[in-house]
Amino acid sequence: MAQSWKQNNAYEDILHLPHHVSQTRPRMSRMDRAAQFSPFQALTGLDSAMQETERQTTMKIELDENEKAVLDEKLRILQARILDNPEVFIVFYRPDAYKDGGSYHEISGALRRIDTVQRQLLLNDGTAIPLDDIYSVDFEQF
């Protein structure tokens, strides 16, 4: 029993001493002190990695010869009417920057020009769409 009393009172000599205040170091703010005990997130970025894994992509649809011919004819008609800045509606494929596949997008706007050297279609708002990624083009007949 004397042993347990001694263990319980092992710090009796320092228990009632005044709290030490450093003369050389500034007192830590409550906010900084609380930050020491905030939860530790060992898996930083896990949520964004999981969202990226769940994000779906689509493979590019290859047009058959008839569809390519129809698309080429529409582009020829637009090229002949380029000075009128025709309003076009385009469905195109955009490859994904991070994984295989991509997604299809729709856009409409006034056509500024068809760049056959860079192989892209340019709209008045500055949008450039690669000709090889165009799935369909629609416009009002003149």
Side-chain angles (χ1 to χ4, degrees):
M1 187 135 72
Q3 190 89 340
S4 71
W5 181 85
K6 193 172 192 178
Q7 286 175 343
N8 288 341
N9 295 318
Y11 298 104
E12 186 69 33
D13 57 336
I14 63 170
L15 190 59
H16 299 290
L17 289 177
H19 179 71
H20 173 72
V21 177
S22 173
Q23 299 297 320
T24 58
R25 297 181 185 262
R27 187 173 177 101
M28 186 181 287
S29 72
R30 285 182 174 251
M31 184 70 80
D32 290 341
R33 183 152 173 77
Q36 291 179 337
F37 301 101
S38 65
F40 174 68
Q41 188 177 6
L43 301 175
T44 304
L46 178 64
D47 290 339
S48 59
M50 288 174 55
Q51 287 175 348
E52 177 62 24
T53 302
E54 292 172 354
R55 190 170 53 84
Q56 298 293 317
T57 59
T58 306
M59 298 311 291
K60 185 176 181 181
I61 299 170
E62 293 299 327
L63 300 176
D64 64 25
E65 293 305 315
N66 291 336
E67 292 168 326
K68 286 180 183 178
V70 169
L71 184 58
D72 286 344
E73 181 59 28
K74 287 182 178 181
L75 291 174
R76 271 194 289 278
I77 292 169
L78 286 170
Q79 183 67 38
R81 300 288 192 168
I82 203 74
L83 296 177
D84 298 331
N85 285 57
E87 191 74 21
V88 293
F89 178 78
I90 303 166
V91 177
F92 66 100
Y93 181 79
R94 181 179 296 152
D96 194 278
Y98 301 106
K99 56 173 59 167
D100 287 341
S103 56
Y104 281 90
H105 299 271
E106 299 174 347
I107 191 169
S108 61
L111 180 63
R112 181 172 49 183
R113 71 183 195 143
I114 299 173
D115 186 343
T116 55
V117 175
Q118 296 291 323
R119 297 205 36 81
Q120 56 188 349
L121 190 139
L122 301 166
L123 301 180
N124 278 347
D125 66 1
T127 304
I129 302 167
L131 292 176
D132 296 331
D133 292 338
I134 295 174
Y135 180 74
S136 69
V137 174
D138 288 316
F139 54 91
E140 286 187 29
Q141 296 296 330
F142 305 102

